[in-house]
């Protein structure tokens, strides 16, 4: 009688257990990542917002305008930095840079309705419209937005 030859086959039970542990750890890591992303997104949903621009001057007058900030929480004018966005932001948004934009002054101020940005120029604006990209920076974020202002004759 011929004996049966047994071929040694290693047990894969140990490998399966290791793979299950790796799978559980990866699953926990993915869950943690998704929860962190969701928490960050919900925090950003409460981020500062830029409102519409309110024009207080006319063509051939020095510019006077304001923009109300939303969701400012406990921010003060000292907490925010506002100005024209870098030229790269203008290019990315398809907005032409104009040399007269360098005359714009931006200032964050407190008001009864919250924080607002005051825009002004010393010189009169002779072009019927201004198109610019504003950058707002605060301790927890940054916001860039395009504005177009149409100046009516007085």
């Amino acid at each position: 009688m011929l004996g049966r030859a047994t071929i040694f086959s290693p047990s894969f039970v140990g490998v399966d257990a290791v793979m299950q542990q790796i799978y559980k750890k990866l699953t926990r890591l993915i869950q943690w990542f998704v929860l962190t992303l969701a928490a960050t997104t919900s925090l950003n949903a409460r981020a500062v917002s830029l409102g519409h621009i309110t024009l207080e001057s006319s063509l051939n007058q020095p510019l006077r305008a304001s923009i109300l900030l939303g969701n400012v929480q406990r921010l003060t004018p000292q907490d925010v930095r506002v100005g024209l966005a870098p030229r790269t932001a203008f290019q990315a948004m398809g907005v032409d840079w104009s040399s007269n934009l360098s005359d714009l002054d931006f200032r964050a101020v407190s008001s009864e309705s919250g924080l607002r940005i005051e825009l002004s120029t010393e010189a009169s604006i002779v072009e019927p419209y201004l198109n610019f990209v504003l950058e707002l920076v605060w301790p927890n974020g940054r916001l860039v937005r395009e504005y177009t202002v149409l100046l009516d004759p007085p």
Side-chain angles (χ1 to χ4, degrees):
M1 175 176 209
L2 291 174
R4 257 208 255 186
T6 56
I7 300 174
F8 178 77
S9 67
S11 170
F12 289 104
V13 174
V15 174
D16 286 340
V18 170
M19 292 302 291
Q20 286 178 355
Q21 287 177 349
I22 291 172
Y23 177 77
K24 285 180 183 179
K25 287 183 181 185
L26 282 175
T27 302
R28 284 188 203 130
L29 181 64
I30 291 169
Q31 289 171 343
W32 176 84
F33 177 74
V34 169
L35 288 174
T36 303
L37 184 62
T40 304
T41 303
S42 66
L43 288 176
N44 286 339
R46 303 177 108 182
V48 174
S49 63
L50 289 166
H52 296 287
I53 191 164
T54 303
L55 194 59
E56 301 159 5
S57 59
S58 301
L59 189 63
N60 297 318
Q61 296 177 343
L63 179 69
R64 299 290 177 259
S66 63
I67 300 169
L68 190 61
L69 300 179
N71 300 325
V72 291
Q73 309 300 326
R74 297 178 183 143
L75 290 177
T76 65
Q78 294 77 25
D79 295 329
V80 299
R81 190 181 77 226
V82 63
L84 286 175
R87 290 186 188 196
T88 55
F90 275 74
Q91 292 170 346
M93 297 181 84
V95 178
D96 292 329
W97 173 266
S98 175
S99 60
N100 66 346
L101 295 177
S102 58
D103 294 337
L104 290 174
D105 290 318
F106 299 88
R107 191 175 72 171
V109 297
S110 292
S111 67
E112 290 179 10
S113 55
L115 278 182
R116 74 174 194 273
I117 299 168
E118 291 183 346
L119 290 82
S120 62
T121 61
E122 288 187 23
S124 296
I125 302 294
V126 295
E127 295 294 325
Y129 77 95
L130 287 174
N131 193 22
F132 60 92
V133 179
L134 182 137
E135 177 183 51
L136 177 70
V137 180
W138 67 98
N140 295 328
R142 174 180 175 262
L143 187 60
V144 177
R145 180 173 171 187
E146 177 184 0
Y147 282 95
T148 301
V149 178
L150 180 61
L151 297 155
D152 293 326

